[in-house]
Amino acid sequence: MQPIEIRPNIYWVGVNDRSTDLFEGLWPISNQGVTYNAYLIKDEKNALIDLSKETFTDDFINQLESLIGLENLDYVITNHMEPDHSGALLRLRELAPQAKFLGMNKAVAMMKDFYTIDQNVEVLKHEQTLSLGRNTLKFIYTPFVHWPETMMTYMIEEKILFSCDGFGSFGCLDGVLFDDETSDQGFYEREALRYYTNIIAAFSKHVLQALDKLSAYEVQMVAPAHGLVWRKDPERIISLYKYWASLATERSEAGVTVLYGTMYRNTERALEHALQALASENVPVEVFNVGLTDPSYILPELWTKQGVLIAAPTYERAMFPAMVHALNMAEIKGVRNKTAAYIGSYSWSGGAKGVFEGYAERLNWDVVGTHEFIGSAKANDLEQIRALSRQLALKSK
Ligand code: FEO
C-alpha cells in the first residue's frame, strides 16, 4: 500500500507482510498476514514513529522516501524495540545519521543490545513532551505492554494515540486503513483478540495499569503498529482491551472450551458422551482437536470462556504431547481461574490425569472432576463422565 495521510501532514507509512508464516516464529499468520504500521509527522521538525521488520526494510524506506528526504528526518521515536518494529533501525541509522533516536531507558539499552546503536540517541521520561512545531508529542510509559520498554506516543493537538502493539491485530490491510473503511471489522476484532491472547495477555495487569494512565487523555484516533487505525470509534478497541485485560482476574463468559487429543479414538468416543452432557445444560461449547489446531486459535476461547474440558489420553506415563503443548501455552499466557475437568484413556499406566492436575493447581483452576479409564470407557466410566460434564457445564455458566 502507498502512504496514507491520516491527518494533515501525518502519514501512515506501514507495510503489509503477506509472506511470514509464523509471527514471532510461533503464531500462524499464513492466512491472515500482519502489518507493521509506522507513522511520519511532517512539521518544522520531522518525526517518525516506529519502523518495520528487517525483512521489509526496502519497502519501508521506499514508503518514507516517497514523502521525505531522509536527510530531513529529525527524530525516530521507538515506542517498542521488538524487531517487528525496530528491524529497520540499523539501515535508517546509515541513511539518516542526523536523526535522533528516542525511546524509554530500556529501549535505548536495547538499541545497543540488538543493533549496537549508541550514538545520537536520547532517553525519554514518562510524560515528557516534544514540540515538533505545530504538533506536540507526549510520551506515556506503558511498561510490559508487552516488553519492559514499551511506551505510547500521544499527539496533543490532534488527540492521536500511537499505541504500537497495544490495540493492534493480526491481519493485512486490504487496501484500506481505517475502521470506517473496512467491510469486515469483525475480522480485525477477532484477530485483535488472537493477538491479545497470543502476545499481550500474560501482562494483563500491566495493560490495566496502562489503560488507567491513558484514561487521562482524550483519544480521537488510535493508531497502532498492527492492523486497523481506529478513527470512527476508537473507544471500541479501547473498551475491548479493558474487557480482555479484566478477564485475567475476573470470571469469564459462560461457555466451555473443549480441548481433545486422541490416538485410537477411545478418548474421543468418551468425549462424545461428555459433549452431549454439556449440551444438555445449554452451555456454549467450542471444540478443538489439539493435534490439528495451533494453540494460537485455542487461546482466545480459553481466555474468554469460563469452562475448560481437557480430554486426552496418557502417553508414555504422561499426557498426550499435543495437549501438553496447548496447556503449556495456556500456562505461559496466564489462563487462570477457570472451571475445569479432565477425562482420558490409558493403557498400562496412568499419567495424564496427574499432569492435568499439575496445570490446574498452578493455574488456579477449580477442578469439578476428573475421570481416567483403562482402554475403552465402559458403562460405569461413561456415567461418571456424563456426570462430571454436567457439573462442569453448570459451574461454567
Ligand atoms: Fe509488534 Fe511486540 O511487537
Side-chain angles (χ1 to χ4, degrees), residues 107-126:
V108 168
M110 288 176 184
M111 286 177 203
K112 190 172 182 185
D113 293 341
F114 279 89
Y115 306 108
T116 63
I117 292 173
D118 58 3
Q119 299 297 307
N120 208 10
V121 301
E122 185 177 318
V123 172
L124 297 171
K125 290 196 165 42
H126 175 53

Side-chain angles (χ1 to χ4, degrees), residues 3-256:
I4 294 170
E5 193 169 26
I6 65 172
R7 287 275 172 84
N9 294 309
I10 305 168
Y11 299 87
W12 172 87
V13 284
V15 293
N16 271 322
D17 178 354
R18 299 182 189 275
S19 55
T20 295
D21 290 318
L22 295 173
F23 187 81
E24 290 186 342
L26 285 170
W27 313 105
I29 54 168
S30 304
N31 296 328
Q32 302 86 358
V34 71
T35 70
Y36 311 114
N37 299 342
Y39 301 91
L40 175 68
I41 303 156
K42 294 175 78 173
D43 204 327
E44 292 167 23
K45 296 285 186 183
N46 301 306
L48 172 68
I49 300 178
D50 294 323
L51 300 92
S52 83
K53 192 176 171 183
E54 184 182 14
T55 324
F56 292 86
T57 298
D58 286 348
D59 303 72
F60 174 67
I61 296 293
N62 287 340
Q63 290 275 57
L64 274 180
E65 286 185 324
S66 71
L67 295 169
I68 189 172
L70 293 181
E71 70 279 8
N72 297 316
L73 195 57
D74 296 290
Y75 299 112
V76 175
I77 294 156
T78 55
N79 281 326
H80 178 27
M81 280 298 292
E82 191 165 6
D84 54 331
H85 308 292
S86 69
L89 264 183
L90 203 52
R91 179 83 172 280
L92 197 61
R93 172 83 299 166
E94 293 165 8
L95 296 172
Q98 80 292 340
K100 187 165 280 184
F101 288 7
L102 310 178
M104 287 288 156
N105 192 31
K106 291 188 167 106
V108 168
M110 288 176 184
M111 286 177 203
K112 190 172 182 185
D113 293 341
F114 279 89
Y115 306 108
T116 63
I117 292 173
D118 58 3
Q119 299 297 307
N120 208 10
V121 301
E122 185 177 318
V123 172
L124 297 171
K125 290 196 165 42
H126 175 53
E127 295 189 327
Q128 183 175 334
T129 57
L130 175 68
S131 173
L132 301 177
R134 294 180 303 280
N135 298 292
T136 315
L137 301 178
K138 189 166 186 175
F139 306 107
I140 306 166
Y141 187 34
T142 53
F144 287 102
V145 181
H146 61 120
W147 276 22
E149 86 296 5
T150 44
M151 66 173 196
M152 298 188 188
T153 299
Y154 180 70
M155 181 175 269
I156 292 172
E157 292 78 7
E158 298 286 345
K159 299 180 170 53
I160 302 173
L161 181 69
F162 299 98
S163 57
C164 203
D165 277 350
F167 312 117
S169 76
F170 294 126
C172 278
L173 295 164
D174 294 333
V176 294
L177 176 64
F178 295 105
D179 56 340
D180 53 284
E181 294 178 321
T182 178
S183 59
D184 194 355
Q185 187 172 315
F187 165 78
Y188 291 100
E189 291 185 6
R190 287 191 296 279
E191 289 299 322
L193 173 58
R194 191 162 72 95
Y195 191 89
Y196 185 83
T197 58
N198 292 189
I199 311 295
I200 310 277
F203 304 96
S204 290
K205 182 179 80 176
H206 298 274
V207 173
L208 290 171
Q209 289 167 352
L211 288 165
D212 195 43
K213 283 183 186 173
L214 295 172
S215 67
Y217 299 87
E218 181 188 350
V219 175
Q220 291 183 353
M221 187 186 294
V222 172
H226 298 294
L228 287 182
V229 171
W230 301 74
R231 69 176 175 189
K232 181 184 175 203
D233 190 5
E235 189 52 38
R236 170 68 183 166
I237 191 68
I238 293 171
S239 61
L240 283 172
Y241 251 63
K242 280 182 189 157
Y243 173 59
W244 295 335
S246 75
L247 294 178
T249 50
E250 293 176 16
R251 192 172 173 83
S252 307
E253 298 163 26
V256 177

Side-chain angles (χ1 to χ4, degrees), residues 239-387:
S239 61
L240 283 172
Y241 251 63
K242 280 182 189 157
Y243 173 59
W244 295 335
S246 75
L247 294 178
T249 50
E250 293 176 16
R251 192 172 173 83
S252 307
E253 298 163 26
V256 177
T257 309
V258 177
L259 277 59
Y260 83 95
T262 194
M263 295 168 70
Y264 296 104
R265 299 193 61 231
N266 285 310
T267 298
E268 184 185 327
R269 287 192 190 94
L271 174 66
E272 296 294 350
H273 291 259
L275 292 175
Q276 283 189 288
L278 290 173
S280 73
E281 298 296 342
N282 294 314
V283 67
V285 171
E286 197 77 40
V287 182
F288 296 98
N289 180 336
V290 294
L292 300 175
T293 313
D294 192 280
S296 176
Y297 297 99
I298 301 173
L299 284 166
E301 282 298 315
L302 281 176
W303 191 260
T304 53
K305 301 300 189 304
Q306 182 58 36
V308 183
L309 175 61
I310 301 298
T314 286
Y315 184 92
E316 296 181 1
R317 296 189 179 87
M319 184 177 271
F320 188 63
M323 187 64 78
V324 172
H325 179 50
L327 287 171
N328 198 35
M329 280 302 188
E331 183 174 13
I332 289 169
K333 298 302 169 185
V335 178
R336 299 177 59 80
N337 309 319
K338 300 296 175 184
T339 308
Y342 165 79
I343 62 171
S345 167
Y346 67 95
S347 298
W348 68 92
S349 83
K353 181 164 108 46
V355 173
F356 164 80
E357 287 166 342
Y359 279 104
E361 185 179 352
R362 293 192 296 279
L363 291 169
N364 196 37
W365 288 0
D366 175 22
V367 178
V368 302
T370 60
H371 187 73
E372 59 182 352
F373 48 90
I374 187 161
S376 59
K378 317 301 184 298
N380 179 49
D381 298 310
L382 294 172
E383 192 178 318
Q384 293 183 62
I385 287 167
R386 285 192 292 265

